Amino acid sequence: MSSHIRPASLTPKDMDDLLGGRRMRRNRRTDWSRRLVRENQLTVDDLIWPLFVVAGTGVREAVPSMPGVERVSVDEAVRDAEKAARLGIPTIAVFPNTDPDLRDPIGSEALNENNLVCSACRAIKQEGLNIGLMTDVALDPYTSHGHDGVMEGDAILNDETVVQLANQAVLQAHAGADIIGPSDMMDGRIAAIRQTLDENGFRDQQIMSYSAKYASAFYGPFRDAVGTNATLIGDKRTYQMDPANTDEAIREAELDIHEGADMIMVKPGMPYLDIVRRLKDTFSVPTFAYQVSGEFAMIEAAGANGWIDKDRAMLESLMAFKRAGADGILTYFAPKVAELFQRGA
């Protein structure tokens, strides 16, 4: 130490006087004390597990950009649903990887009552499991151009798409879907879906609206999983939200709630924690976040390279959603987290 610097000579009593008896570290000293004063809790009840379904029987194929995630056939999806129920995961969300030969410009396969989503819902419901089924209402897994709506030239047609989505939602509800998840970001689709569900006797089916879905760079591995990376023409910025906007998310969520959404969602999750917080504080309705494929892949890749402790980063990221106000999280980590909780981790 330089001779020009006067060293500190504080005694414990001096420190007590400086702090006025306030020592924040007391509550952090032991495990039991940290648990006692913890402000937020992450439990298995907070988890929704997204599953990718493909054609065939006995199929389990890895998604290269999402380590540990597989596309599974309907019979294997039933097994995964059974696993989720054993682990206490409340809900699974079903997404299809549709055969390219079945995709067309208007997404006709979305209205096939025997498509992958409807078939998976029926098969899982037949098992009588204590688990909720959430389905994706959007056309991108079924269109040859990879967009979430009916396309004319370079334009996505809002109103024509909404009619298609409302009919798609009814088919999914008839197949056993408990939660309808419109992810398309078309204007007015929540009102149309709610009305059409009610008119067809599905008044009890819940709607979890993707209210604030951003045109994000974090969706790449998901598009790999559902097979739309290669087919997407252009981008989705004319209907998904600009990452620069926050007030717009408030207006979107307000409209969705007014139109009949029971729950709202922010997607992606981690880069948009401020949006989760604002929506929860503004509306006090059940609010969810989607920890999307890009977020998952980054944690997996960094963990595999030894750059971070993967399990700790996984749990920390999920706790961040709870801290921001999320009531639940869609995450590909769901079975891993549930297994850790069962082991008392």
Side-chain angles (χ1 to χ4, degrees):
M1 180 176 290
S2 170
S3 60
H4 301 294
I5 297 175
R6 184 177 178 181
S9 58
L10 295 169
T11 67
K13 184 179 183 308
D14 293 333
M15 287 299 301
D16 283 339
D17 290 341
L18 284 171
L19 293 169
R22 295 179 294 272
R23 290 185 179 268
M24 296 295 289
R25 289 179 58 189
R26 289 192 191 106
N27 288 342
R28 305 169 191 152
R29 188 173 61 87
T30 61
D31 172 70
W32 62 261
S33 180
R34 291 191 295 273
R35 288 187 285 117
L36 187 67
V37 300
R38 188 163 290 151
E39 297 174 32
N40 295 283
Q41 299 286 338
L42 175 70
T43 75
V44 69
D45 294 334
D46 299 314
L47 306 176
I48 298 175
W49 182 16
L51 296 179
F52 299 111
V53 183
V54 293
T57 303
V59 177
R60 283 191 173 273
E61 56 186 35
V63 179
S65 55
M66 300 178 70
V69 174
E70 298 173 312
R71 304 180 192 93
V72 298
S73 52
V74 168
D75 56 314
E76 294 294 326
V78 172
R79 295 182 184 179
D80 282 349
E82 292 169 343
K83 175 181 178 180
R86 288 195 304 272
L87 290 170
I89 296 171
T91 305
I92 56 175
V94 182
F95 297 90
N97 182 304
T98 306
D99 188 319
D101 291 339
L102 297 176
R103 303 183 191 202
D104 62 26
I106 62 172
S108 302
E109 181 67 8
L111 300 184
N112 176 4
E113 64 181 1
N114 294 313
N115 65 28
L116 288 170
V117 169
C118 292
S119 297
C121 286
R122 282 194 296 271
I124 292 168
K125 279 297 180 181
Q126 287 173 1
E127 299 301 307
L129 302 172
N130 181 28
I131 196 166
L133 287 180
M134 179 175 173
T135 50
D136 178 46
V137 174
L139 300 185
D140 54 325
Y142 308 100
T143 55
S144 52
H145 45 70
H147 280 282
D148 299 66
V150 178
M151 196 172 185
E152 185 176 272
D154 294 332
I156 303 300
L157 305 180
N158 188 93
D159 298 357
E160 290 84 347
T161 298
V162 167
V163 172
Q164 188 102 320
L165 298 174
N167 291 327
Q168 181 186 18
V170 170
L171 280 181
Q172 293 176 352
H174 192 268
D178 302 295
I179 301 174
I180 302 299
S183 65
D184 56 286
M185 292 300 288
M186 298 297 123
D187 293 333
R189 90 273 203 212
I190 301 302
I193 289 171
R194 183 73 273 165
Q195 178 179 321
T196 308
L197 286 171
D198 291 354
E199 288 175 349
N200 283 274
F202 296 110
R203 292 179 177 82
D204 292 333
Q205 265 63 21
Q206 299 157 273
I207 296 177
M208 182 190 293
S209 172
Y210 290 60
S211 294
K213 182 178 180 180
Y214 286 84
S216 172
F218 288 89
Y219 301 148
F222 175 91
R223 291 173 183 162
D224 182 18
V226 297
T228 61
N229 256 340
T231 60
L232 181 61
I233 300 171
D235 61 45
K236 304 189 178 188
R237 285 179 287 185
T238 63
Y239 51 97
Q240 293 180 358
M241 286 182 57
D242 187 333
N245 294 352
T246 62
D247 292 342
E248 184 183 1
I250 300 295
R251 296 197 295 273
E252 286 279 9
E254 185 175 24
L255 286 167
D256 287 354
I257 294 166
H258 178 73
E259 291 177 15
D262 303 287
M263 299 168 277
I264 58 177
M265 187 205 299
V266 176
K267 182 181 180 181
M270 189 67 72
Y272 297 90
L273 292 178
D274 60 319
I275 308 301
V276 176
R277 182 77 267 166
R278 283 198 69 186
L279 293 185
K280 187 63 176 180
D281 288 346
T282 301
F283 300 111
S284 299
V285 301
T287 303
F288 291 76
Y290 198 139
Q291 185 179 50
V292 299
S293 58
E295 300 171 63
F296 170 85
M298 289 190 298
I299 293 173
E300 282 286 340
N305 280 283
W307 299 332
I308 60 173
D309 181 323
K310 183 175 72 174
D311 286 355
R312 286 189 62 188
M314 170 184 70
L315 293 171
E316 185 177 338
S317 69
L318 297 176
M319 182 59 77
F321 295 121
K322 294 293 292 181
R323 193 183 66 244
D327 296 286
I329 308 113
L330 288 85
T331 176
Y332 305 99
F333 288 123
K336 177 68 177 295
V337 173
E339 287 166 352
L340 287 174
F341 287 162
Q342 279 200 347
R343 297 200 298 267

